């Protein structure tokens, strides 16, 4: 066992699992912390645990992290990877700092890196600042996120109110000139009075990931997005056996396609998902928009949805939220807070997904981290094998508990405008 990964939501977990697998580590994705006696098997080299700790109470997030770490430590993982969103989704009171700090303590780390970059999806770090498609994070479309609005782009500022330790920026120029990372670390530790610290490496081109991975591949703790995962996995894999390929290691490769009907759930309010919903509808896709007031006050609204899903003639239907913040009028009409409305939508989609599975639907596509977590938890699937990706960081998943089913779970910000069309095509067996 090489890497044990703790991810702060399910789409993030499937994202990084796809990159570990691409880097040729045999990877198992788990939807929760398994029982202490669960054995993933001798051939598994990376285990990714999907926790729902991004937006929950800080103390609960830390306690779940400790539980996950205890399990991964028992497996003998050489390295812990704490995976969070490439847009550093977090309020000033967020959980990235507390979770990182407890893992620093548990692993006995002298320092760790904060590496949220994912250049293939336009997330880059330069001079300690996090950018989305070249725009500073707090000026991007993420600034208006209803749960985690972005208030700064400097990672040191984002960590200042959350973490216990100081941030040190590390430029590409410095990384290229370092002969020995340990000499540089010793100097930094003297300047921080021997306390742990965070390093924020520059990463704005894909090649930088290889440099960062080579410098820090033996750290007991790494934190960040998924941009580093493939490079890190490739180095670990090469150390094990330079001739490894996915097939030679016996990786269970399932086809991305399967037979059967499909359904799409979109609970994300991100700009990317809104564009994907718009294109799907404009191209003639069948869609139903959820309405909080109707769900609360009109039982017939949900009953109609249930009849639609149970209809054996339906397929490729999109059930989505408006993708916008509830207006003051909507909140007043329902008497619910924005958080309550979000939870109502998540519960409704989880109910409908469960009914869809019972009705024989085999292809379930979900947009949004919270929505994905709610649905996968309801469906009861615990472990997954990865197939081809629809987009970078968005693999097709086959649950080991039901190998006829295919799931596609995407972070709200991921994917091209025709993502839903691509996902439907990718998950449909070619000769079905």
């Amino acid at each position: 066992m090489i890497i044990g990964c703790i991810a702060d939501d399910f789409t993030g977990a499937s994202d990084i699992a796809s990159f570990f697998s691409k880097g040729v580590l045999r990877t198992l994705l788990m939807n929760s912390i398994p029982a202490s006696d669960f054995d993933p098997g001798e051939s598994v080299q990376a285990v990714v645990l999907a926790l729902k700790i991004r937006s929950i109470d800080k103390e609960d997030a830390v306690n779940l992290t400790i539980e996950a770490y205890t399990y991964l430590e028992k497996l003998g993982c050489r390295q812990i990877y704490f995976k969070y969103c490439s847009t550093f989704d977090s309020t000033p009171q967020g959980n990235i700092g507390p979770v990182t700090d407890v893992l620093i303590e548990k692993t006995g780390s002298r320092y760790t890196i904060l590496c949220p970059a994912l250049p293939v999806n336009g997330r880059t770090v330069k001079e300690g600042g996090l950018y989305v498609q070249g725009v500073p994070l707090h000026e991007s479309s993420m600034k208006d996120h209803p749960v985690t609005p972005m208030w700064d782009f400097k990672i040191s500022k984002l960590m200042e109110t959350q973490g216990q330790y100081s941030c040190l920026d590390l430029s590409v120029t410095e990384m290229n000139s370092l002969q020995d990372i340990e000499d540089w670390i010793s100097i930094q530790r003297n300047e921080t009075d021997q306390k742990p610290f965070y390093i924020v490496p520059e990463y704005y081109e894909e090649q930088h990931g290889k440099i960062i991975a080579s410098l820090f591949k033996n750290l007991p703790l790494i934190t960040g997005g998924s941009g580093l995962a493939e490079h890190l996995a490739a180095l670990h894999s090469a150390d094990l056996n330079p001739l490894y390929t996915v097939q030679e290691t016996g990786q269970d490769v399932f086809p991305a396609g399967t037979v059967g009907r499909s359904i799409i759930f979109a609970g994300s309010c991100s700009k990317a998902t809104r564009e994907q919903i718009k294109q799907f509808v404009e191209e003639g896709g069948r869609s139903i928009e959820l309405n909080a007031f109707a769900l609360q006050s009109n039982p017939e609204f949900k009953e109609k949805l249930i009849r639609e899903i149970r209809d054996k003639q339906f397929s490729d239907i999109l059930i989505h939220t408006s993708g916008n913040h509830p207006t003051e009028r909507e909140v007043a009409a329902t008497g619910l807070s924005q958080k309550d409305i979000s939870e109502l939508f998540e519960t409704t989609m989880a109910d409908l997904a469960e009914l869809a599975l019972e009705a024989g639907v085999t292809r379930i596509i979900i947009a949004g981290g919270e929505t994905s977590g709610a649905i996968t938890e309801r469906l009861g699937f615990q472990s997954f094998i990865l197939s081809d990706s629809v987009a970078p960081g968005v693999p097709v998943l086959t649950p080991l508990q039901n190998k006829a089913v295919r799931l596609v779970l995407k972070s709200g910000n991921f994917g091209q405008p025709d993502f839903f069309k691509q996902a439907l095509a990718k998950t449909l067996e070619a000769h079905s």
Side-chain angles (χ1 to χ4, degrees), residues 246-321:
V246 173
Q247 287 74 26
E248 287 168 348
T249 56
Q251 176 78 50
D252 293 319
V253 179
F254 273 73
T258 189
V259 298
R261 296 183 290 135
S262 68
I263 190 168
I264 306 168
F265 295 99
S268 169
C269 64
S270 72
K271 180 181 178 182
T273 299
R274 294 200 304 270
E275 290 176 350
Q276 290 155 2
I277 292 170
K278 182 174 181 286
Q279 180 156 327
F280 182 83
V281 173
E282 287 179 348
E283 292 182 352
R286 189 177 177 192
S287 67
I288 299 174
E289 182 176 328
L290 295 183
N291 179 284
F293 183 74
L295 286 171
Q296 184 189 47
S297 60
N298 182 7
E300 175 58 24
F301 180 77
K302 189 170 182 178
E303 288 299 320
K304 182 181 178 181
L305 287 171
I306 292 171
R307 288 195 298 272
E308 292 262 8
I309 289 172
R310 286 176 172 165
D311 182 353
K312 301 295 184 182
Q313 301 303 311
F314 103 86
S315 190
D316 299 1
I317 188 171
L318 166 64
I319 297 175
H320 66 97
T321 61

Side-chain angles (χ1 to χ4, degrees), residues 83-215:
K83 197 291 181 182
Y84 42 80
C85 185
S86 59
T87 50
F88 217 85
D89 285 9
S90 189
T91 66
Q93 294 77 38
N95 292 337
I96 292 176
V99 169
T100 297
D101 289 349
V102 77
L103 289 173
I104 285 176
E105 176 188 342
K106 291 295 181 181
T107 58
S109 298
R110 297 175 299 159
Y111 65 95
T112 190
I113 61 173
L114 307 175
C115 188
L118 181 60
V120 71
N121 277 342
R123 279 63 167 155
T124 55
V125 174
K126 194 167 187 178
E127 297 179 349
L130 181 54
Y131 294 81
V132 178
Q133 305 296 346
V135 178
L137 178 63
H138 66 306
E139 297 175 8
S140 72
S141 61
M142 296 300 295
K143 70 180 184 299
D144 297 321
H145 193 286
V147 180
T148 55
M150 306 309 165
W151 55 279
D152 209 311
F153 80 117
K154 286 288 189 179
I155 295 174
S156 59
K157 289 290 186 182
L158 293 167
M159 284 294 284
E160 197 173 81
T161 60
Q162 296 185 37
Q164 301 178 47
Y165 309 116
S166 58
C167 283
L168 303 175
D169 295 340
L170 182 60
S171 71
V172 170
T173 301
E174 288 175 307
M175 286 190 284
N176 282 325
S177 64
L178 285 175
Q179 298 298 316
D180 187 345
I181 187 64
E182 286 303 317
D183 288 343
W184 186 84
I185 293 300
S186 295
I187 295 171
Q188 309 312 314
R189 279 180 60 79
N190 288 334
E191 293 182 359
T192 58
D193 297 325
Q194 304 301 312
K195 293 179 181 178
F197 54 90
Y198 320 115
I199 296 174
V200 181
E202 280 193 313
Y203 187 177
Y204 51 89
E205 295 177 3
E206 195 58 50
Q207 63 186 11
H208 300 155
K210 296 180 181 180
I211 302 170
I212 297 167
S214 65
L215 286 174

Side-chain angles (χ1 to χ4, degrees), residues 342-353:
S342 296
E343 290 177 352
L344 174 62
F345 286 155
E346 288 172 18
T347 300
T348 299
M349 289 187 179
D351 291 342
L352 297 175

Side-chain angles (χ1 to χ4, degrees), residues 7-9 50-56 64 346 369-370 373-374 377:
D8 69 356
D9 75 352
L51 306 185
K52 195 175 180 180
I53 59 173
R54 179 176 298 175
S55 304
I56 66 172
L64 279 170
E346 288 172 18
E370 297 296 320
E377 183 177 354

